Amino acid sequence: ARQAKIRNFSIVAHIDHGKSTIADRILELTETVSKREMQAQLLDSMDLERERGITIKLNAVELHYTAKDGETYIFHLIDTPGHVDFSYEVSRSLAACEGAILVVDASQGVEAQTLANVYLALDDDLEIVPVINKIDLPSAQPEVVRQEIEDVIGLDASEAVLASAKTGIGIEEMLEQIVHNIPAPDGDLTAPLKALIFDSVYDDYRGVVLSMRVVEGVVKPGDKIRLMNSGAEYEVVEVGVNSPKPIKRDYLMAGDVGYLTASIKDIQDTRVGDTVTHADNPAEKPLAGYREMHPMVFSGLYPTDNAKYNDLREALEKLQLNDAALEFEPETSQALGFGFRCGFLGMLHMDVVQERLEREFNMDLITTAPSVTYNVELTDGQMVDVSNPSQMPEVSTIKEINEPYVKATIMVPNDYVGAVMDLCQRKRGTFITMEYLDDYRVNVIYDMPLSEIIFDFFDKLKSGTKGYASLDYELDGTRPSDLVKIDILLNGDKVDALSFIAHRDFAQERARTIVVRLKDVIPRQNFEIPIQAAIGAKIIARTNIKAYRKDVTARIHTGDPDRRAKLLDKQKRGKKRMKSVGTVDVPQDAFMAVLKTD
Ligand code: GDP
Ligand code: MG
């Protein structure tokens, strides 16, 4: 039977250990793409992914491999992101698989996300095929890493594949191990249809395209389907697989990973994690679906042009289809007008959403500084959640502010433990414990405010440890905290979108840093602009932006037409990302200035 020849697997790894490159080699070796069509990081189809060299979205492809036993196998390979912000994408793709290739860099060894992702895979009972990659590097230590996989993760690594995605060594052996070690799917073909939606994307012509793993039954064009949670019903127009281009199929059956279209125009109907079944012969219960994701970071997104408000809403709705972790709701700001408060899983996620809105939907946006959600107890006993600093209640009405905390696990070589502890301490962390993983590697565990982790912690951690530290964290409740709201006044007017929350001990210092930074990023105008920072009515820092003098405004004289054009272009782009706030033009940079802590 065809089912016995199917292997569904995913590739998990810490970022940069070589997942995407291994996927490229597999596509080449199985001749899924011709040499002519081959380009690096083929599965990273978004421009953004290629430019940044990271995988953001999971991607599923079908390929065919003729093994040494002479049989041809059908592989469904699902590439997944490695960054901590996107681990929800990883868990979704794992639910569609029976096995996972675990890639570990032979020169770096096991890192925090290696552990986090492999645990996700083990939770789903997946069969793991360990691969030690980059053995071509002079600094590779494959035997050390093999031992590490056994000691730190607890997997049998005696048969771990030694590979180089760069030179192609070990790729064939890896495919053989996939055939022999990863089980075929075993769903009942005659049972009522059950298919798990793990991704979706909106296409102007075909409507919503669902990516799904068929768990039981068979589905084909013409079938009447029901989405079990939303109750919506549709007639299937097309089913198929990506290889990596879409290829139509007559049907998809239990064990298959593919796509389905049904002229679905109403994006509200389709949610990742929902189960597709037949309308006439429905399954009794939907599949378990996915753990709901909760955004950790919130920021305001505003169109630079107020007339684009509805376009922005439409763009967010479409993007949400393809990004189940994105949340948004309308908000208004006195300074910025109508926009949306959006929830993200982390800063990278926020960055990616903003860039996708700009590129894929042509939006020009102003984003406000991200904030976590504070849980505020009022003197009258009421509890309110505040994820927009400007909406922090009056000080006199607050009994207690609770801020979200995380358990942060930092994996680092011995030598850098001191540096890591220093940094955590400065970020208001409380030391919990330290665990030796092997002779030279340590897990340092801290209790830390989420707000300190999400901004620049990771960059600081990397630079303080020559890149050796890796980080993983999980939410761990809230703690009461002595926090204050700091308002910024431009030319005497409070700019709500610039308000931020800080710990009282750091308030003065941060306020001072920020007014100075604002002075640098807000362009001079023909009048003097005072910038003030205040807690309530009390001014705690101030400075002035001087008015410009006539000669500064004189036209740019530059002979080189190329340079002149560039200058003009730069000015134009700068202008677009500018908002008039009262009498002052405020550029995008200003809204982010409150983030930088030094
Ligand atoms: P991902 O983040 O896990 O998808 O990692 P990538 O596939 O993007 O690889 C990260 C970097 O490592 C890229 O610069 C690759 O060219 C490089 N790389 C991947 N595999 C190998 C390998 O086997 N040997 C060497 N020397 N470099 C590799
Ligand atoms: Mg990648």
Side-chain angles (χ1 to χ4, degrees), residues 15-21 41 133-134 136-137 164-166:
I15 195 159
D16 276 348
H17 283 201
K19 283 182 313 289
S20 299
T21 316
Q41 320 255 303
N133 186 37
K134 305 198 190 180
D136 61 286
L137 288 177
S164 164
K166 188 175 175 187

Side-chain angles (χ1 to χ4, degrees), residues 187-201:
D188 183 352
L189 299 183
T190 60
L193 176 66
K194 269 189 189 179
L196 183 64
I197 303 176
F198 63 82
D199 200 13
S200 61
V201 58

Side-chain angles (χ1 to χ4, degrees), residues 410-414 416-417 420 440-444 465 468-470:
I410 298 147
M411 192 185 285
V412 73
N414 256 337
Y416 297 102
V417 168
V420 168
Y440 75 110
R441 219 100 74 104
V442 190
N443 260 342
V444 183
T465 61
Y468 280 117
S470 53

Side-chain angles (χ1 to χ4, degrees), residues 29 32 86 106 251 331 356 399 446 518 528 546 588:
L29 198 83
T32 306
F86 301 113
Y251 61 92
E331 92 172 350
R356 290 187 71 185
K399 183 163 171 231
Y446 263 84
L518 286 174
E528 189 173 77
K546 292 216 176 64
Q588 165 74 59

